[in-house]
Amino acid sequence: MAEFKVIKGKFHVKGYQPDGDSIRFEADNPAHWETFPWDSASKKKAAKKQLRIEAIDALETHYEGYHQPRPFAMAALERLLKLLGIEDIQYSLNVTTIVKANDAQPGFIATDGLDRYDRPISLLFPASAKLTDGSLLTSDRLPLEKSVNYILAREGLVYPTFYTTTDKIFVEKIRKAVRLAREDERGIWAIDRTPDLVLWDTRTIQEDVTIMPKLFRRLVEFCDAYADFAELPAYMARQKDNLKLITDPTPRSLASLMIFDVTGRRMSLTVPIEDILFSPTG
């Protein structure tokens, strides 16, 4: 069972472009970072680390010039900030950068390592969690239900996104929370079109329908590069997803879990999102 390092510090958003699954964090004791295997010297030295929030994926507020439907994208972000005590927020005119906020709110993260972009993979906790700075806790001893990650999933504001490296205890607890949210049609689950999507153009997935962010990113990249919808199945098959199912460890691609109707411009994901384990390098 993996151990997670608890780090006390402050969360920062002013002057940055956070979304519902990423934020910057400054450790009160920078020496805690010395044991992590950084690839980038500049990121190791940076006081404010860009985090990757474990096990969830929020709707995109800005991705390669595109965004998903703003109401739920902003709802996830603003709920994240509220849970961390960050209020009095003002955005830039294009609603991408936070230009004003009661920044540097205290809290904790629990992390067991870095992703391939040197972002600490983290559970986020408000100061009220009262964890011990520098402590090492196994996943069964962490109060997952008090984490921002779990709360956002339970409230249906984010999609679950598990990797083969995600702790099994976290996976099972968040899967259960997601299933309950779907059954109650909370948040995104009242309008999720990932199981049955008709794609006309990028406006469809920017303004009209809500889908899994990983699929959204694939589709906007496809629309930028191709003119013929009939090429989508082959394009999806070429992507190196290298994922598995919780119920079946056979390696496969996202395309193998989808059905495409080229004539009707329709596609569907045939398994629940929370049953997928993505590759951390995919």
Side-chain angles (χ1 to χ4, degrees), residues 165-218:
T165 52
T166 306
D167 185 272
K168 293 181 179 179
I169 289 178
F170 298 166
V171 170
E172 286 309 310
K173 287 186 175 182
I174 293 177
R175 282 180 82 208
K176 183 177 180 180
V178 167
R179 286 173 177 170
L180 290 173
R182 183 189 286 112
E183 288 173 8
D184 293 341
E185 295 187 340
R186 292 181 211 149
I188 57 175
W189 301 116
I191 56 174
D192 174 46
R193 300 302 299 174
T194 310
D196 185 18
L197 169 66
V198 177
L199 178 67
W200 294 109
D201 54 32
T202 55
R203 288 174 297 181
T204 303
I205 52 178
Q206 285 202 102
E207 301 170 8
D208 300 333
V209 300
T210 298
I211 59 172
M212 177 175 67
K214 274 188 175 290
L215 180 57
F216 169 83
R217 293 190 286 269
R218 289 278 190 261

Side-chain angles (χ1 to χ4, degrees), residues 7 32-40 43-44 49-52 54 109 111-122 165 280-281:
I7 302 177
H32 287 321
W33 300 121
E34 292 299 322
T35 58
F36 289 81
W38 302 91
D39 287 329
S40 167
K43 289 183 178 180
K44 180 179 180 179
K49 311 293 189 191
Q50 175 70 54
L51 304 180
R52 196 195 84 198
E54 175 71 295
I109 66 169
T111 177
D112 67 341
L114 309 174
D115 71 2
R116 58 180 175 153
Y117 302 109
D118 271 0
R119 298 177 300 182
I121 306 167
S122 306
T165 52
T281 59

